[in-house]
Amino acid sequence: MTDTAAAHTKANANANANACAGATAAGGQDAEPRARFRDLVAAEWTKWWSLRSSGWALAATALAVVGFNVGMAYDTYRYWSERDTASRADFVRDGIPLSIAFSTDAAMLLMLALSSIGATVIVGEYRTGLIRTTFAAVPARRSVLAAKVCVVAAVTTVFGAVVSVASFGLTQAVLSGRDAGVALDHPGALRLVVASALLAPVSALVGLALGAVLRHSAATMTANVVVLLLLPLIFSADRHWAAVIDHALPAGAWNRLTAVGHQPVAHPWTAGGAWTVYAVWAVAAAVVAVASVQRRDQ
């Protein structure tokens, strides 16, 4: 009896051990480790640069914006002799070198191009169906969108800085040929460079948010044009209520931060308020993009 009981005890122990091992193995297969956020950022980074169009779009935008500003500077250099003595003397005092360094038309071009690039990042995935594959691999959808926001913000911030610094440096180098250029320590110069650089990520995040909500190329591009370009033209700063709306838009904030000269303004506001508008638009766009991810895509 003793030998028989010992044999049964040993058999039961072996069975329990095998069962525990099997359960551990099954649990290891079912409970896969969650993707780390830095891995999601790396994946989004790879997605961005795996498309040749991404690099070409940024390069073309940079050349267009910088070339536009340098062209204005060259026109000033070329026709400098046609200016009278008083106009030449007041050229720097009136802040004209800064208005040439990054013009309003160049800013509008930058906003439109960067918002389109930001929208393409998400709209392209919905159009091709890649977003479904991504969400199947990573169920944490909001984490995926948060990683996408980080990549878009980082890439476009660096892009904006390069374009803004290059534009300022090249335009002032051209104007210096007529002793009309200014340095970066000139009053208002650094603020213009920073404001123009940050206009890129703000515009790209707005495009990303609109693309995440609308998920259709034509509708998203139309919304980008309306929000970033048409609304600033409709709501001018002539009346108080219109000025409030204008001041709350990214274009209005850029105009305030890059204002030069001493021209009177009907409804003045502070540079701190303009920086706040930049921050609110960037944060709000990021939140909308992340929160727009539905639990199930139809």
Side-chain angles (χ1 to χ4, degrees), residues 87-211:
S87 175
R88 295 180 188 179
D90 296 339
F91 188 82
V92 175
R93 190 200 64 178
D94 292 342
I96 300 178
L98 296 184
S99 64
I100 294 176
F102 213 99
S103 65
T104 301
D105 291 338
M108 294 176 65
L109 174 61
L110 180 71
M111 286 190 292
L112 182 59
L114 267 293
S115 63
S116 300
I117 292 172
T120 303
V121 170
I122 184 68
V123 173
E125 290 198 40
Y126 277 108
R127 185 179 65 251
T128 61
L130 179 60
I131 196 71
R132 294 180 182 273
T133 304
T134 301
F135 288 157
V138 184
R141 299 183 175 191
R142 292 183 178 178
S143 297
V144 172
L145 264 295
K148 194 181 294 292
V149 166
C150 291
V151 171
V152 170
V155 172
T156 55
T157 298
V158 174
F159 170 83
V162 171
V163 170
S164 183
V165 171
S167 183
F168 180 85
L170 291 175
T171 55
Q172 301 314 302
V174 173
L175 293 176
S176 295
R178 300 296 187 185
D179 295 325
V182 297
L184 192 59
D185 59 356
H186 185 81
L190 181 59
R191 188 172 65 188
L192 178 140
V193 171
V194 175
S196 300
L198 293 181
L199 187 63
V202 171
S203 302
L205 288 175
V206 170
L208 177 64
L210 292 174

Side-chain angles (χ1 to χ4, degrees), residues 176-264:
S176 295
R178 300 296 187 185
D179 295 325
V182 297
L184 192 59
D185 59 356
H186 185 81
L190 181 59
R191 188 172 65 188
L192 178 140
V193 171
V194 175
S196 300
L198 293 181
L199 187 63
V202 171
S203 302
L205 288 175
V206 170
L208 177 64
L210 292 174
V213 173
L214 300 177
R215 304 182 182 184
H216 189 275
S217 298
T220 302
M221 299 309 171
T222 301
N224 283 335
V225 173
V226 170
V227 173
L228 296 175
L229 299 183
L230 292 185
L231 288 182
L233 296 178
I234 295 173
F235 298 102
S236 63
D238 295 336
R239 298 184 178 181
H240 183 269
W241 65 271
V244 171
I245 298 176
D246 178 70
H247 294 172
L249 297 173
W254 181 84
N255 285 327
R256 171 60 184 86
L257 293 170
T258 60
V260 296
H262 305 282
Q263 297 180 354

Side-chain angles (χ1 to χ4, degrees), residues 2-93:
T2 303
D3 294 340
T4 303
H8 280 294
T9 301
K10 184 176 181 180
N12 290 336
N14 291 335
N16 291 335
N18 292 334
C20 291
T24 302
Q29 293 177 353
D30 294 337
E32 295 181 358
R34 297 181 61 183
R36 295 173 298 182
F37 186 73
R38 65 181 182 182
D39 294 331
L40 297 179
V41 172
E44 293 299 327
W45 178 270
T46 302
K47 282 184 187 179
W48 179 294
W49 296 113
S50 63
L51 297 175
R52 292 183 179 180
S53 59
S54 299
W56 283 112
L58 292 175
T61 301
L63 289 175
V65 172
V66 175
F68 192 93
N69 292 325
V70 172
M72 290 185 63
Y74 178 74
D75 285 342
T76 302
Y77 174 90
R78 182 179 179 183
Y79 298 105
W80 184 258
S81 59
E82 298 182 6
R83 291 177 174 269
D84 55 32
T85 304
S87 175
R88 295 180 188 179
D90 296 339
F91 188 82
V92 175
R93 190 200 64 178

